[in-house]
Amino acid sequence: MNLNPDILKRLEELEKKYAATGQDLVSYLDGLLFSDYLTYWDYVHVDTLLTLQNPRTKFPDEEIFIIYHQITELYFKLCMNEFRQLSDKENVDGKFFLTRVNRINSYFENLVRSFEIMVAGMEHDQFLKFRMSLLPASGFQSAQYRKIEICSTDFIRLVSKDHRDNYSNDSSIRSMFEHIYWKAGATELSTGKKTYTLQQFEDKYSEELIELGEEKRSSNLWQVYKRLAQADRENPKIIASIQLLDVNVNVNWPLSHYKSAVRYLQKDPEDIKATGGTNWQKYLPPRFQKRIFYPELWNSEELENWGKSWIAKEVFGLTLD
Ligand code: HEM
């Protein structure tokens, strides 16, 4: 049989590839001969994916709640993939940087837009019932959400603003972790003690998050930005892209999320207790938290008005192509 020269060329290349590691091409060709074709369902693990929704009650809308949380975690995973590319690559240039940050922004913008699925997409009565079987679990325990923050900025930016002045950028991550902002939010309404939701989260994730903080000390997004060439650092598109990230993660997503808490949990005269037991009305609104990744990039008025809706709108108007 006369083999097509293209095929012969590939066979020679494959032979070289396997010979370089002392392996036999013929065995691999046998493997190819006997193996079945790949299918969509095996590649994407569709069947497994569809077994991962396990409601705790009989209310049909609970499945919406579970699936939307899972969708969010997958988008968070996409963000982590971009952060990893940014910190793993040596000599990141402006183009690579901008492409990755824009991707993270587009993931967050999809989440912000789709949050309506939570706000308006479940029956209020069903929600108030099925949530009681989820205690004390809460989205507060999303480790990927915290990892995104750690990858975005210097750790000191995540220290609660009341304690930040006691630390510097060189302080140990472990000592700063003691006063990480989210602990302040997770206090029990009645006793002022750490919520059990927080205790569980700390038992499972504290060490991992401290380790990530150490790892990202010199490779978080802000540090990668600071290592760009001067022309890239001063490129308005690059500056706008990380400003937008700051607003997407610290204002737009928290605002759309807060809207859902208000829709389901706000009830006069007394608000409904959250599953994580936090003082959520004081904790969740971004204008109280004032989490800001890149204060150097904002003017005093913008910092002052952080978390109020104007800033979100204003920055959304930027074009980032
Ligand atoms: C009806 C929908 C939702 C309601 C009513 C709601 C409510 C709340 C409340 C009250 C808190 C404060 C902590 C607590 O005491 O539990 C919280 C925190 C949180 N939730 Fe949700 N949530 C909803 C959907 C989601 C979704 C879909 C996600 C996606 C993963 C999510 C992620 C988070 C995160 C990351 C926090 C911590 C926020 C922070 O520390 O600033 N939530 N949520």
Side-chain angles (χ1 to χ4, degrees), residues 100-207:
R100 266 71 206 170
V101 177
N102 281 346
R103 286 185 193 170
I104 300 171
N105 279 323
S106 82
Y107 301 143
F108 261 87
E109 283 156 22
N110 271 301
L111 287 175
V112 170
R113 269 193 297 272
S114 61
F115 221 96
E116 242 357 74
I117 293 173
M118 287 288 93
V119 179
M122 296 179 293
E123 279 189 19
H124 196 257
D125 284 356
Q126 287 192 35
F127 177 82
L128 289 184
K129 286 179 186 139
F130 73 67
R131 66 189 285 280
M132 299 319 290
S133 62
L134 313 181
L135 290 163
S138 163
F140 183 91
Q141 297 173 319
S142 166
Q144 288 204 105
Y145 184 80
R146 309 304 179 192
K147 288 180 182 176
I148 286 171
E149 297 177 311
I150 293 171
C151 290
S152 295
T153 189
D154 290 339
F155 208 87
I156 194 164
R157 303 298 331 152
L158 306 177
V159 171
S160 108
K161 53 185 189 312
D162 301 338
H163 291 92
R164 200 173 298 140
D165 288 348
N166 302 330
Y167 295 97
S168 76
N169 240 350
D170 298 328
S171 303
S172 83
I173 299 289
R174 195 172 287 280
S175 68
M176 289 193 273
F177 190 78
E178 273 310 299
H179 289 292
I180 196 107
Y181 77 85
W182 67 71
K183 296 193 186 182
T187 47
E188 245 156 33
L189 289 171
S190 48
T191 60
K193 281 202 285 199
K194 261 187 198 182
T195 60
Y196 191 58
T197 305
L198 174 61
Q199 290 177 42
Q200 278 185 318
F201 180 71
E202 288 186 338
D203 286 350
K204 181 157 168 66
Y205 289 116
S206 287
E207 287 308 312

Side-chain angles (χ1 to χ4, degrees), residues 65 68-69 72-73 76 115 118 122 127 138-140 142 145-146 181-182 253 257 260-261 264-265 274-278 280 283-284 289 291:
F65 191 65
Y68 190 74
H69 277 81
T72 305
E73 290 292 342
F76 287 169
F115 221 96
M118 287 288 93
M122 296 179 293
F127 177 82
S138 163
F140 183 91
S142 166
Y145 184 80
R146 309 304 179 192
Y181 77 85
W182 67 71
W253 189 87
H257 171 260
S260 67
Y264 294 101
L265 304 179
T275 52
T278 61
W280 63 271
Y283 174 66
L284 288 181
Q289 290 194 347
R291 296 195 307 243

Side-chain angles (χ1 to χ4, degrees), residues 20-21 29 31 52-53 70 77 79 85 109 113 150 155 175 200 210 218 221 253 266 275 279 286 289 305 309 314 321:
T21 50
L29 289 177
L52 300 178
Q53 295 72 40
Q70 291 178 335
K77 187 166 182 184
C79 295
Q85 292 189 49
E109 283 156 22
R113 269 193 297 272
I150 293 171
F155 208 87
S175 68
Q200 278 185 318
I210 291 169
S218 59
L221 189 69
W253 189 87
Q266 191 156 295
T275 52
N279 43 355
Q289 290 194 347
N305 290 306
S309 55
E314 198 133 297
D321 52 331

Side-chain angles (χ1 to χ4, degrees), residues 29 65 230 252 256 278 293 303 320:
L29 289 177
F65 191 65
Q230 187 177 359
N252 291 336
S256 55
T278 61
F293 291 156
L303 292 173
L320 293 168

Side-chain angles (χ1 to χ4, degrees), residues 50 74 113 122 223 270:
L50 300 182
L74 288 175
R113 269 193 297 272
M122 296 179 293
Q223 292 299 323
E270 203 191 321

